[in-house]
Amino acid sequence: MTAEPTQVYLPGIDIAISLPIFSKISGILDRIYHPVAKHPFAFIPVFFVILTVIRLAVEHLFFIPMAKKCVKAEGKKKILFINKFKGEGFKTLYYVFTSMISWFELLTVPPEQNWVFHVERVWTGFSDAQFPDHIYFLYSLQLGFYFHLLVYHFIEPKNKDFLEMLIHHMSTIALIAYSWDQGCMNVGYLILALHDVSDCFVGPTKMFNFAGWALSTVVGFAFLSTSWFLTRLVYFPFWVIRSVLVDYWTELVLHGLQTRIQWGIFNGLLCTLEVLHIFWFYQLTRILGSAILERRVHDAHLTEGDFDRKHDPEHAPPAPLNCPPAATTPAVEQQTPKRRKSPKAE
């Protein structure tokens, strides 16, 4: 029996795209998903080790040489920027990969079953649902990745938002683990896919700034701010959190599982993430506005410290043309010569 071709459905539009490559991609991914889905917990430490090895490899083979060519700073500043550059490069590769596979699976679901614009569907029979292999795969992969980030958080150069990022990593791990334990993996999958979209723009924007590419940094900030606003400040609170507040409680009541603690923990973790989203979006808009008004990205500040170049002498504004620096001009030369008095008549 011939399998039906894989179709990609565009959300909100009655259009389905069917290409032979979609079926091939789906077949390859299914073969990757299946062994992980059989032993999802065992693969969490496996992914932790695999991601760490891949990170070390791509950083030394690709991103460190790239950073040495692109970063124009000197001395300790260059070493700091190279270390940050290579880390952002690896995270960008990861987020692009997870975004591609998670949204491929979301968009190949028929419209009548799709969750993207009908988040309430994720709760249908959630208490006894049998989840597909790709959900177990992404959960194991993401838990391995965030444990990896948690360890590296104490190894990488410290940023100004060290505490906020620590809270973010721990909240994300708790949210993934709790949604897994409570059988809410459908909504958890949607949340992970949603967040990875804007994360794809974080790394490149920082890397552009480390390299001193002002225009590219401003463009990156524009894409990052737009995607962050749409996914984390509009869709996430008004679709996802609303559904967890209302639809999740309704399902708990229907199944006789209602407990305020269970419902409150889930919503508390989601609201913690949303508070961090608002805080970071404020920082994004501040740096973007400063860059647009002053046309100098390095004159602005970002809480993470990755864009804080204002007090860096290596990036100080150049002196005006035809005006020698004040430090190299003797003080006596800057004074107007005194007029010589004529000798008094005897």
Side-chain angles (χ1 to χ4, degrees):
M1 184 176 179
T2 305
E4 295 183 1
T6 302
Q7 293 182 318
V8 172
Y9 301 90
L10 301 180
I13 308 175
D14 294 331
I15 297 178
I17 303 174
S18 179
L19 296 174
I21 192 173
F22 291 160
S23 298
K24 293 181 180 180
I25 293 174
S26 181
I28 294 172
L29 291 177
D30 287 341
R31 288 192 290 272
I32 296 174
Y33 296 152
H34 186 65
V36 178
K38 293 177 67 174
H39 307 284
F41 288 105
F43 270 89
I44 295 173
V46 173
F47 282 132
F48 174 88
V49 174
I50 291 175
L51 290 170
T52 303
V53 173
I54 292 176
R55 176 171 187 162
L56 293 173
V58 298
E59 283 183 353
H60 285 81
L61 295 176
F62 186 64
F63 289 115
I64 290 181
M66 179 188 294
K68 289 180 178 179
K69 292 182 179 179
C70 295
V71 176
K72 304 303 181 184
E74 299 294 339
K76 294 182 180 180
K77 182 68 70 173
K78 182 165 186 174
I79 297 174
L80 176 64
F81 283 178
I82 289 175
N83 287 332
K84 291 187 175 185
F85 188 101
K86 67 180 184 180
E88 295 302 329
F90 164 75
K91 284 183 272 190
T92 299
L93 291 180
Y94 175 82
Y95 289 128
V96 169
F97 171 73
T98 54
S99 293
M100 290 175 63
I101 62 172
S102 58
W103 282 98
F104 178 80
E105 296 296 339
L106 282 173
L107 297 181
T108 52
V109 177
E112 62 273 9
Q113 303 173 12
N114 197 282
W115 308 333
V116 178
F117 285 108
H118 299 277
V119 184
E120 67 278 1
R121 292 173 180 169
V122 303
W123 306 109
T124 303
F126 80 96
S127 60
D128 53 359
Q130 296 296 321
F131 300 102
D133 291 352
H134 67 268
I135 291 184
Y136 287 106
F137 174 85
L138 187 69
Y139 259 65
S140 298
L141 178 63
Q142 293 278 32
L143 275 175
F145 175 70
Y146 278 100
F147 277 119
H148 165 89
L149 288 185
L150 189 60
V151 172
Y152 262 78
H153 192 62
F154 296 93
I155 300 175
E156 293 179 315
K158 299 295 188 294
N159 289 321
K160 293 182 180 179
D161 65 341
F162 178 87
L163 180 60
E164 290 87 347
M165 286 302 299
L166 181 62
I167 294 174
H168 173 268
H169 295 338
M170 296 180 67
S171 299
T172 303
I173 291 172
L175 181 61
I176 296 173
Y178 188 76
S179 62
W180 193 340
D181 177 70
Q182 296 298 315
C184 303
M185 296 175 71
N186 285 345
V187 70
Y189 185 92
L190 181 60
I191 293 171
L192 291 170
L194 188 68
H195 283 66
D196 286 350
V197 173
S198 55
D199 283 332
C200 290
F201 297 102
V202 174
T205 304
K206 292 182 179 180
M207 294 163 73
F208 293 151
N209 189 66
F210 297 148
W213 301 343
L215 179 59
S216 299
T217 306
V218 173
V219 173
F221 263 118
F223 279 101
L224 173 58
S225 301
T226 302
S227 63
W228 193 286
F229 176 78
L230 294 177
T231 58
R232 302 194 183 198
L233 299 187
V234 176
Y235 187 86
F236 182 62
F238 295 107
W239 271 264
V240 177
I241 294 182
R242 188 213 64 83
S243 182
V244 177
L245 285 169
V246 179
D247 301 323
Y248 180 43
W249 179 257
T250 302
E251 288 295 324
L252 288 174
V253 172
L254 290 176
H255 291 82
L257 302 172
Q258 66 271 23
T259 59
R260 294 186 182 276
I261 295 177
Q262 182 179 355
W263 179 82
I265 290 175
F266 206 174
N267 283 285
L269 292 171
L270 293 177
C271 291
T272 300
L273 289 180
E274 184 59 20
V275 170
L276 292 173
H277 296 163
I278 295 172
F279 169 75
W280 280 319
F281 184 73
Y282 164 73
Q283 303 295 336
L284 288 172
T285 53
R286 192 159 64 93
I287 181 69
L288 181 60
S290 178
I292 293 175
L293 292 175
E294 301 179 22
R295 298 184 180 180
R296 297 186 67 86
V297 175
H298 59 260
D299 282 343
H301 293 263
L302 184 66
T303 299
E304 291 189 54
D306 292 329
F307 300 90
D308 188 3
R309 291 180 165 187
K310 185 173 183 179
H311 303 292
D312 179 11
E314 296 173 1
H315 296 88
L321 295 176
N322 301 323
C323 294
T328 60
T329 305
V332 294
E333 295 179 8
Q334 298 181 20
Q335 297 176 0
T336 304
K338 293 183 178 180
R339 193 170 184 178
R340 189 175 180 180
K341 296 182 179 180
S342 58
K344 294 182 179 180
E346 294 182 0

